[in-house]
Amino acid sequence: MALIVHKYGGTSMGSTERIRNVAKRVAKWARAGHQMVVVPSAMSGETNRLLGLAKELAPAKTNTAYDRELDMLASTGEQASSALLAIALQSEGMASVSYAGWQVPIKTNSAFTKARIESIDDVRVRKDLAAGRVVIVTGFQGVDPDGNITTLGRGGSDTSAVAVAAAMKADECLIYTDVDGVYTTDPRVVPEARRLTTVSFEEMLEMASLGSKVLQIRSVEFAGKYKVPMRVLSSFTPWDIDINEEAKSGTLITFEEDEKMEQAVVSGIAFNRDEAKISVVGVPDKPGIAFQILGAVADANIEVDMIIQNISKEGKTDFSFTVHRNDFARTMDLLKEKVVPALGATEVTGDAKICKVSIVGIGMRSHVGIASKMFRSLSEEGINIQMISTSEIKTSVVIDEKYMELAVRALHKAFDLDQA
Ligand code: ASP
Ligand code: MG
């Protein structure tokens, strides 16, 4: 008998029929002798619908009082789906109880709409488990020190599930979703993309932060910190498939590096169109430049990703970096108004039509020439690289957005990711 946490995403909870399917699947696991905690998302579209209503009433408010109400509002989506799942389980003859975040409680800080979990009390849940009940815990939400309902940021139910699994020392956290695992890249872009049977936690962390949308990045950080065994699998298999087969399906996120070292050097290709590039041109090349430019950006609470400084010519240099596209206009304004005049730079130019494409693999640690293979493959396609950044286990390039799919396909092929 094991203690197992299941998480079901919005699509898996998308209708009463699907909720009934989830209930049957969970009941199967419970009847196999496992203690079950289930963390559902809101029914698909519900969070957007609720937030849309708020926007109709007050389009662009961003203050604490408003954000508090957004959380009050958005959290109802998970409260509804959790209660419905408990009802469906009961109708399957399975004792079940659902709890909102504050009832567990899942304690968070007070950062409304992006709260962080601080602690989870497992006493109440354990009592129910001991009494033979399936416990449903709302995803995406918690309660702050003043008793306000908080939410964890979009996609936050993944994090709820992993945090509950960590707090309960669960044997495994299974993330049921509308894809059947983690792929070498997005199959919508590369039809030959393959499901990985295992991926290391570090690779998953990179992939999540580089644009793979399978898991909320914070859930992966949590899994790493507490070593929660985590698996991503499909909720669209028939609910009554053999439980042993199901338990081995999908993608397991492992902490066993050695096993992985034997495998492919590159495990996956990630990409995103979330960033924009900004260049400050004709900056006097002297100490303090990076600080003056990026310090101003940081003071405005804007996050910077890639950074490049060119070699200088006649005492002047160009300085480029990327920010999130949502921050693009604001950053441009800030630089034009404050930084360029103060520095005596020539101008600021910007380009939002870029994308970032990355290769990820822990095998890069022990193999040389991986990045150059990437560059060669892009050059063979005639794709110009605008920026490069590397870490121990990834290489990212910024290229023109219109070449994104071409680049991803070429790299997928170059690194033999279509071959098992
Ligand atoms: N319902 C929330 C959202 O749509 C949380 C989640 O689904 O993980 O972002
Ligand atoms: Mg999700």
Side-chain angles (χ1 to χ4, degrees), residues 185 189-190 192 269 357 359 373-374 376-383 403-418:
T185 194
V189 171
V190 185
E192 298 79 26
I269 318 271
V357 177
I359 56 174
K373 184 168 176 180
M374 176 187 201
R376 182 176 56 204
S377 141
L378 294 174
S379 85
E380 279 166 6
E381 299 296 336
I383 300 171
Y403 300 123
M404 190 181 83
E405 303 200 341
L406 178 63
V408 173
R409 283 195 205 110
L411 293 171
H412 198 267
K413 196 147 195 226
F415 288 101
D416 297 324
L417 290 177
D418 38 5

Side-chain angles (χ1 to χ4, degrees), residues 87-99:
I87 289 167
L89 275 157
Q90 289 166 8
S91 98
E92 295 297 319
M94 183 59 59
S96 176
V97 59
S98 70
Y99 292 117

